[in-house]
């Protein structure tokens, strides 16, 4: 009887082993068999579907097609950092109505692209009959006569004559006044300053030196930077602050994006350590006033911006911060910037409305 029990037990073990061996898929640790395939044990199976032009690989939706590839002979890639969508922009002359390509830089560098404007009129600075053609070296008129160099903005303000420009690729500029400065080496300070002036003539040329600043960003593409030219004759006729000592020029834009201007704004300043700046001084700020959209003649009686949304300020320095007061609906305030007056330079700063902390700004 004991022998029979042992035999039956052995047969049961063999049957169990055979049943296990009939399993079609032997899955490893952390996976489980589902419909004949090994899948992650934690995978959730539901009815969700991937979006257009994507497909499910495991538990991830991936593109069905390869990334956009632009024809290198006729286009350049321009990727929107917000959406990841790449657009191929033609490199041939096609008028001034579109933006130029602003491709991503290599690691650790920055690409800065934008449009030049005439500070007097506020209009794009373009050559008569501009077609979008790239400027050739040695141009003597319009945008093609200009040079743009990048600097550490803080270092330039502290030592205007002793600060070397940052290394970049050669400047791209076309007869529409569109520009691209690629592969900008990063400064030690937080901002990159663009110095805009005659390419070869220097201080005696047709334009006064102009500075604009933008935040630095390794690996960043900075688009839609507003650059400016100031004709020497225009700056010489202003009076008010001294160009020899440097002029800080706030331009107040009416919305968070776009080029519309804000009237009724008074320039404010304050110590760097105590934002927001609320101090005013009628001996330091000057306004064009009135309904004129040009920046030609100062109004000695104005204490706020007129239709051109602009002030000229003397004595700007790195120990202060700057903003504005007025010209905004409830919930909004003007953003805050640092700045400095550099001898012989009109330093233009764009101010835009932002939300007061804890509130909503609709502009």
């Amino acid at each position: 009887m004991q022998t029979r029990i042992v035999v039956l037990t052995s047969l049961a073990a063999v049957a169990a082993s055979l049943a296990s061996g009939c399993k079609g898929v032997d899955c490893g640790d952390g996976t489980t068999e589902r419909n004949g395939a090994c899948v992650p044990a934690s995978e959730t199976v539901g009815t969700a579907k991937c979006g257009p032009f994507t497909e499910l690989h495991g538990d991830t939706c991936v593109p069905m097609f390869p990334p956009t590839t632009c024809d290198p002979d006729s286009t350049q890639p321009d990727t929107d950092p917000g959406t990841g969508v790449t657009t191929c922009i033609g490199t041939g002359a096609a008028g001034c109505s579109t933006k130029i390509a602003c491709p991503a830089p290599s690691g650790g560098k920055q690409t800065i692209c934008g449009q030049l404007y005439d500070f007097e009129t506020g209009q794009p600075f373009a050559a008569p009959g501009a077609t979008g053609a790239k400027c050739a070296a040695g141009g003597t008129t319009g945008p093609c006569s200009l040079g743009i160099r990048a600097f550490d903005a803080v270092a330039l303000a502290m030592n205007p004559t002793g600060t070397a420009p940052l290394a970049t690729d050669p400047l791209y500029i076309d007869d529409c006044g569109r520009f691209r400065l690629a592969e900008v080496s990063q400064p030690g300070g937080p901002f990159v300053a663009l110095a805009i002036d005659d390419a070869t003539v220097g201080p005696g040329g047709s334009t006064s030196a102009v500075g604009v600043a933008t935040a630095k960003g390794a690996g960043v593409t900075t688009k839609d930077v507003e650059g400016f030219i100031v004709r020497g004759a225009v700056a010489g006729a202003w009076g008010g602050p001294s160009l020899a000592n440097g002029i800080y020029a706030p331009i107040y834009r009416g919305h968070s994006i776009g080029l519309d201007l804000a009237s009724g704004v008074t320039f404010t300043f304050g110590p760097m350590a105590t934002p927001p700046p609320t101090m005013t001084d009628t001996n330091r700020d000057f306004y064009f006033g009135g309904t004129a959209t040009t920046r030609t003649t100062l109004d000695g009686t104005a204490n706020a911006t007129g239709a051109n949304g602009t002030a000229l300020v003397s004595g700007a320095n790195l120990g202060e911060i700057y903003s504005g007061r007025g010209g905004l609906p409830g919930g909004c305030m003007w953003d805050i910037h640092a700045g400095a007056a550099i001898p012989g330079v009109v330093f233009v700063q764009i101010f835009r409305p932002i939300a007061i902390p804890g509130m909503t700004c609709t502009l």
Side-chain angles (χ1 to χ4, degrees):
M1 181 65 68
Q2 184 176 3
T3 302
R4 182 179 179 187
I5 293 173
V6 170
V7 171
L8 289 173
T9 302
S10 299
L11 289 172
V14 171
S17 176
L18 289 173
S20 175
C22 290
K23 186 176 180 179
V25 178
D26 188 13
C27 294
D29 293 341
T31 65
T32 185
E33 186 273 336
R34 185 175 292 133
N35 297 327
C38 294
V39 297
S42 59
E43 182 180 66
T44 299
V45 178
T47 59
K49 296 181 179 180
C50 292
F53 306 112
T54 65
E55 57 190 5
L56 187 66
H57 283 196
D59 60 353
T60 304
C61 295
V62 299
M64 296 171 61
F65 305 107
T68 299
T69 302
C70 297
D71 176 8
D73 293 329
S74 60
T75 63
Q76 284 193 325
D78 186 279
T79 302
D80 187 320
T83 64
V85 174
T86 297
T87 302
C88 297
I89 297 180
T91 55
C96 301
S97 60
T98 61
K99 299 175 182 178
I100 59 172
C102 197
S106 60
K109 302 294 181 66
Q110 184 173 3
T111 298
I112 302 174
C113 305
Q115 170 70 50
L116 293 172
Y117 295 89
D118 187 325
F119 185 81
E120 180 186 12
T121 65
Q123 298 301 307
F125 182 59
T131 63
K134 179 182 177 181
C135 291
T140 57
T141 60
C144 296
S145 68
L146 300 177
I148 303 176
R149 296 185 296 170
F151 290 86
D152 181 320
V154 174
L156 184 65
M158 296 177 65
N159 185 5
T161 60
T163 299
L166 300 170
T168 70
D169 274 0
L171 169 69
Y172 174 95
I173 190 167
D174 64 24
D175 60 1
C176 296
R178 301 172 298 194
F179 65 88
R180 178 176 62 244
L181 205 55
E183 299 298 304
V184 179
S185 298
Q186 294 295 272
F191 303 103
V192 176
L194 299 184
I196 304 165
D197 201 357
D198 302 282
T200 56
V201 180
S206 60
T207 66
S208 298
V210 173
V212 298
T214 188
K216 76 174 184 180
V220 170
T221 299
T222 304
K223 301 181 181 181
D224 301 326
V225 172
E226 296 177 42
F228 293 87
I229 65 100
V230 177
R231 302 177 198 277
V234 172
W238 283 336
S242 166
L243 181 59
N245 294 330
I247 297 174
Y248 184 67
I251 297 178
Y252 296 93
R253 297 290 188 194
H255 289 81
S256 59
I257 59 173
L259 299 177
D260 59 313
L261 297 157
S263 61
V265 185
T266 298
F267 171 79
T268 61
F269 66 96
M272 179 66 73
T274 57
T278 59
M279 300 168 62
T280 61
D281 184 345
T282 56
N283 294 317
R284 292 185 60 182
D285 51 347
F286 303 82
Y287 303 93
F288 296 94
T291 59
T293 56
T294 58
R295 304 178 178 103
T296 305
T297 305
L298 292 172
D299 181 349
T301 66
N303 58 12
T305 60
N308 60 41
T310 306
L312 302 181
V313 179
S314 62
N317 63 86
L318 294 178
E320 298 177 330
I321 51 176
Y322 305 112
S323 188
R325 183 176 65 215
L328 290 174
C332 301
M333 61 180 283
W334 292 106
D335 57 6
I336 299 171
H337 293 287
I342 300 175
V345 176
V346 180
F347 205 97
V348 183
Q349 179 68 64
I350 304 298
F351 287 81
R352 293 187 181 275
I354 60 175
I356 295 173
M359 304 181 71
T360 300
C361 179
T362 58
L363 295 178

